[in-house]
Amino acid sequence: MRNIYVVRHCQAEGQAPEARLTGTGMLQAARLAEFFSNQAIDCMVSSPYARARQSIAPLAERLGLEVTLDERLTERVLSGSPSPDWREKLRLTYDDMDLCYDGGESSSTAMKRAVQAVEDILNQGCRNAVLVSHGNLISLLLKYFDDRIGFKEWEALTNPDVYRLSFPIDGGSPSLLRIWPA
């Protein structure tokens, strides 16, 4: 089996690309490093957003691994302008994967870029990779592998959160399991 551990970043100060982890988020990042310490991680890929990089930095330091930054793992932009009913708009994008608001990205487009990042990790030959991203994009990535995942599963994600995607070496269907102890 080859595993990709899909990690939602730790608690952050906000949603902007430069938003950093809170004090609690820094403690969570240390807990993530401990959680992964016995997983034989050999590859780490992260969204370039500060909160994602900081979430995995303690593990990278502990293992002496470089973290590759991948723009495809940035959070999905729902709309180009703020909306008070953004949660309802987001919910609708799980029902209609091609729904795209002005200045935003459809679920299907965001899903495609996340899946391409996973395919690239698999093509690198990594056996146990960590991929760090953001809640909405992660839920779409997981939906690609399990169509039952949707808005309610996005709502249930925690900061941090960890899912394991296990890919059989023979190319069979991958399995998906939430492994973070909430």
Side-chain angles (χ1 to χ4, degrees):
M1 291 293 234
R2 292 188 298 168
N3 299 300
I4 297 181
Y5 296 94
V6 180
V7 177
R8 184 183 190 192
H9 64 79
C10 301
Q11 185 183 84
E13 296 172 343
Q15 298 298 311
E18 64 278 358
R20 301 179 62 75
L21 295 183
T22 62
T24 298
M26 296 301 281
L27 294 173
Q28 292 169 337
R31 186 172 168 217
L32 271 175
E34 184 63 32
F35 179 77
F36 282 116
S37 64
N38 296 320
Q39 299 298 325
I41 302 301
D42 58 357
C43 177
M44 300 172 84
V45 182
S46 175
S47 159
Y49 286 13
R51 60 189 178 275
R53 293 189 329 264
Q54 287 182 316
S55 293
I56 205 62
L59 178 62
E61 185 175 321
R62 176 182 267 193
L63 299 178
L65 290 175
E66 292 290 321
V67 178
T68 302
L69 301 181
D70 190 330
E71 290 285 337
R72 295 173 296 185
L73 299 178
T74 60
E75 182 61 290
R76 176 239 192 138
V77 174
L78 181 64
S79 173
S81 58
S83 176
D85 62 341
W86 69 269
R87 289 179 74 86
E88 177 59 16
K89 286 184 172 185
L90 180 63
R91 187 191 65 72
L92 292 171
T93 67
Y94 286 91
D95 298 334
D96 179 355
M97 297 289 287
D98 293 317
L99 177 59
C100 187
Y101 300 107
D102 285 341
E105 181 179 31
S106 72
S107 292
S108 61
T109 300
M111 179 189 282
K112 259 184 227 170
R113 67 179 164 90
V115 169
Q116 288 171 346
V118 166
E119 289 171 350
D120 284 354
I121 291 168
L122 292 172
N123 289 334
Q124 290 175 17
C126 300
R127 295 199 53 89
N128 292 294
V130 172
L131 175 156
V132 186
S133 190
H134 309 272
N136 186 220
L137 189 71
I138 286 172
S139 69
L140 294 170
L141 174 62
L142 299 176
K143 183 174 181 59
Y144 178 83
F145 294 102
D146 182 348
D147 193 47
R148 296 172 295 180
I149 292 175
F151 182 75
K152 287 182 182 179
E153 290 72 20
W154 166 79
E155 284 184 308
L157 286 172
T158 59
N159 290 94
D161 214 334
V162 181
Y163 282 78
R164 182 181 62 220
L165 277 170
S166 296
F167 296 85
I169 296 195
D170 66 7
S173 297
S175 63
L176 171 64
L177 181 66
R178 182 175 187 262
I179 60 171
W180 182 248

